[in-house]
């Protein structure tokens, strides 16, 4: 069985809109177990490190400003096929293209302020989980 874990963030727009609870409820309802979680604010530098893969893209500066603009919730989620099942649950990057019932369709404000992050591969899920959580913080 591959893909036991994925990494997510509830982004500043969704935290600001008091949607932490409803988003976590959707995550649990879809069968994911939370195995690590914290509420924190990233510095612009930390956001830049997290999204370093996008540093050549035109929206990189805007993305780093946005992701450090307010607190976020970071979490590790466990489930069989966690990465692909969670990408399905969150929906397309652009909420206008996200399917009905997905987290981004319900909660995202724009392509930048799109409510949640979800890892795109098993390898990145591990890198991202380790970026945020020590071994002592993971269950
Ligand atoms: P993903 O979050 O669905 O994996 P990525 O392409 O990895 O999408 O982009 C990372 C994040 O960068 C997106 O979630 C979104 O917040 C932001 N982003 C992506 N494309 C754009 C854009 O065209 N304009 C502004 N922000 C964008
Ligand atoms: Mg991505």
């Amino acid at each position: 069985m591959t893909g036991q874990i994925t990494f997510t963030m509830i982004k500043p727009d969704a935290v600001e809109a008091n949607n932490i609870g409803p988003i976590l409820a959707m995550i649990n309802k879809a069968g994911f177990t939370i195995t690590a979680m914290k509420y924190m604010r990233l510095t612009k530098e930390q956001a830049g490190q997290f999204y370093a893969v996008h540093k050549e893209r035109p929206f990189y500066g805007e993305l780093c400003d946005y992701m450090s603009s307010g607190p976020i919730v970071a979490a590790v989620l466990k489930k069989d096929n966690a990465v692909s099942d969670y990408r399905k649950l969150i929906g397309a990057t652009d909420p206008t293209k996200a399917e009905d019932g997905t987290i981004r369709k319900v909660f995202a404000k724009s392509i930048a302020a799109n409510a949640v992050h979800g890892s795109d591969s098993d390898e990145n899920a591990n890198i991202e989980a380790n970026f945020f959580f020590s071994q002592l913080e993971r269950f």
Side-chain angles (χ1 to χ4, degrees):
M1 251 175 320
T2 59
Q4 291 285 343
I5 68 130
T6 191
F7 172 79
T8 189
M9 282 185 278
I10 301 176
K11 296 186 178 184
D13 60 291
V15 171
E16 166 80 22
N18 285 334
N19 286 326
I20 296 172
I23 290 171
L24 292 178
M26 284 178 76
I27 288 170
N28 282 149
K29 202 172 171 192
F32 295 88
T33 298
I34 296 164
T35 61
M37 184 157 71
K38 60 176 70 164
Y39 184 69
M40 60 177 296
R41 183 171 178 170
L42 293 167
T43 64
K44 190 176 173 180
E45 276 173 8
Q46 289 165 337
Q49 227 181 316
F50 182 82
Y51 282 112
V53 63
H54 293 309
K55 65 173 176 286
E56 307 304 333
R57 313 237 332 237
F59 57 81
Y60 180 68
E62 179 197 341
L63 177 61
C64 296
D65 283 339
Y66 166 63
M67 287 303 296
S68 57
S69 67
I72 55 108
V73 173
V76 180
L77 308 177
K78 189 173 156 194
K79 183 183 186 297
D80 290 345
N81 300 310
V83 167
S84 61
D85 284 2
Y86 193 60
R87 294 294 306 200
K88 272 182 226 142
L89 179 65
I90 69 179
T93 308
D94 179 351
T96 65
K97 296 182 182 139
E99 283 185 38
D100 284 349
T102 60
I103 292 176
R104 283 170 166 167
K105 180 71 173 193
V106 177
F107 297 110
K109 294 190 161 40
S110 67
I111 191 168
N114 60 0
V116 285
H117 168 81
S119 305
D120 63 7
S121 66
D122 291 345
E123 187 190 2
N124 283 335
N126 282 304
I127 292 168
E128 292 170 0
N130 290 332
F131 182 81
F132 277 86
F133 297 101
S134 78
Q135 211 53 45
L136 290 171
E137 296 170 313
R138 294 177 62 174
F139 298 90

